[in-house]
Amino acid sequence: MGRSELERLSREELIELVMRLQRPEKTSRTSSKPPATNRKEQREHSKPGGAKPGHEGHSRVVSDDPDAVVEHRPEACACCGGSLHAPLPAEIVSVSVRIELPEVAPVVTQHRRVAVCCPTCGTRVIAPAPEAARGTHFGPRLHAVATYLKTFQTLSYERLQAAISDLFGLTLSQGGLMNLLRRAQGCFRPGRDAAIAMLRKAEVVACDETGVRIEGSNAYHWLFHSAQTVVHTPSSTRGAVVVREMMDGYRPAVWISDRYTAQQGHATEHQTCLAHLARDVAYVVEVSDDPVPWRLQLWLQSVFALAECVTDLAASTLSAKRRSLDRQLGAILATPSRCDLTRELQAKIRRARDQLLVFLAYPGKVEPTKNGSERLLRPAVVPRKVTSGYRAMWAAEGEAAIHTVVDTARLTGANSFGTILKTVGA
């Protein structure tokens, strides 16, 4: 805005402009921005790390089945010097443990085909090609280790090559590693298809998405999950077409997401993420002196308190509390305000009013936030920070399939590496 335009503004417009410029920047507490974007001076005044007061300490549990036991007996009496080598009664006074990793070296098995001349007819008979000679030179455990380090420890090809060389003494080219990973990723496609099939039967589905670079362009990593399955998928678009293709016409009872337009209209009911809404409210409370945002903040605190005990209350009680909360919200939204931020916040909540308390009708099945989706998406955000995305779509699709199978198995308590090894070795 130039000087001439500023001179044409009225006194009220100038006051409004100055007030807008004086508003503080949004932080992770008042928006969806990550904590790393907070100002340094705010982090310097943050609470110290470490265990919180009252935290119960934990110590390593001594194994009941050690690989080796070494007894340390005294050789002579400290009092009289008498020998204690005889088989005398003894008692254990303390147990200490030393844990060590064995040296890991590649196990190379050479398969030799030999030819033998038949002593009867003289025919030269060659042994059939073994199954091990028909595929790759590398076994399933090596495939699993490379897949785990690349996908879940976010190693680049260069660092993965160095890790395998330093830890296992095995030299692999980066091209060889790429081919190895591509073969391993193919083993996860059936598991991904099974996870999608379960998703299309779920009563409650939560969804979220985050940006990622694929083939040098902006793209998106989508996540869908239910109580029984987790599905990751990359896409070049953030549009609703991704949801329609994933669900293939199926409409669950409840959809959990933020207020993004592409996430709307995919289920019978919709639960809007209240954590996002709470951050929006916190920002207006911080910026404005208007009492309406403060009342909204108290209302949200009541909702979150109710969400913590939702499974302990009867259906009639929940229904009555829902009606009471809805009446309170209606009164807050009807309160007039001169603050433009408050009016925008009221309009935003008014548009999503029927999506705020849906979780009360599904106690224990529907969460009031999409924090579960964000936790499952977090491992997909780390590669974006470390390697700046994917060079090829097949790599993004392959890692999404791996995350799908592993995260789905985790819902039943399965180990990540164990799931990868089982899938690759199947």
Side-chain angles (χ1 to χ4, degrees), residues 58-100:
H58 300 280
S59 59
R60 183 175 297 280
V61 178
V62 178
S63 174
D64 294 329
D65 185 26
D67 297 294
V69 176
V70 179
E71 286 193 352
H72 300 271
R73 300 175 63 95
E75 297 180 355
C77 177
C79 181
C80 66
S83 175
L84 300 177
H85 288 293
L88 301 172
E91 62 174 334
I92 299 174
V93 294
S94 68
V95 176
S96 60
V97 177
R98 181 182 177 88
I99 302 174
E100 182 59 284

Side-chain angles (χ1 to χ4, degrees), residues 151 154 378-390 399 403:
T151 306
T154 328
R378 196 166 296 138
V381 176
V382 176
R384 182 179 69 193
K385 304 290 186 180
V386 176
T387 62
S388 301
Y390 302 93
E399 287 202 4
H403 280 292

Side-chain angles (χ1 to χ4, degrees), residues 133-148:
R134 295 175 184 173
T136 174
H137 297 299
F138 308 117
R141 182 170 289 273
L142 180 55
H143 279 76
V145 168
T147 300
Y148 175 78

Side-chain angles (χ1 to χ4, degrees), residues 274-412:
L274 297 184
H276 277 59
L277 186 62
R279 290 194 288 266
D280 292 341
V281 172
Y283 177 72
V284 183
V285 168
E286 185 176 298
V287 172
S288 173
D289 294 330
D290 195 299
V292 173
W294 179 72
R295 292 171 61 191
L296 281 170
Q297 195 170 56
L298 293 178
W299 183 84
L300 282 170
Q301 290 175 2
S302 300
V303 174
F304 286 130
L306 180 58
E308 293 181 358
C309 60
V310 68
T311 56
D312 301 328
L313 301 176
S316 58
T317 303
L318 289 175
S319 180
K321 288 183 175 294
R322 181 175 182 177
R323 290 193 299 270
S324 175
L325 287 169
D326 190 63
R327 284 194 302 269
Q328 294 172 27
L329 180 61
I332 297 172
L333 296 180
T335 303
S337 173
R338 298 181 60 185
C339 175
D340 60 330
L341 286 178
T342 298
R343 292 195 300 271
E344 292 174 5
L345 184 61
Q346 287 175 313
K348 183 185 296 185
I349 296 175
R350 200 175 290 116
R351 289 192 295 269
R353 183 174 175 179
D354 61 339
Q355 301 178 355
L356 304 182
L357 301 174
V358 173
F359 73 96
L360 294 176
Y362 300 85
K365 295 181 179 180
V366 176
E367 295 294 327
T369 70
K370 66 180 187 71
N371 292 346
S373 299
E374 293 184 350
R375 285 192 294 269
L376 289 168
L377 261 182
R378 196 166 296 138
V381 176
V382 176
R384 182 179 69 193
K385 304 290 186 180
V386 176
T387 62
S388 301
Y390 302 93
R391 295 181 182 178
M393 179 58 82
W394 68 261
E397 292 175 343
E399 287 202 4
I402 295 170
H403 280 292
T404 295
V405 173
V406 171
D407 286 350
T408 300
R410 278 177 176 169
L411 296 178
T412 59

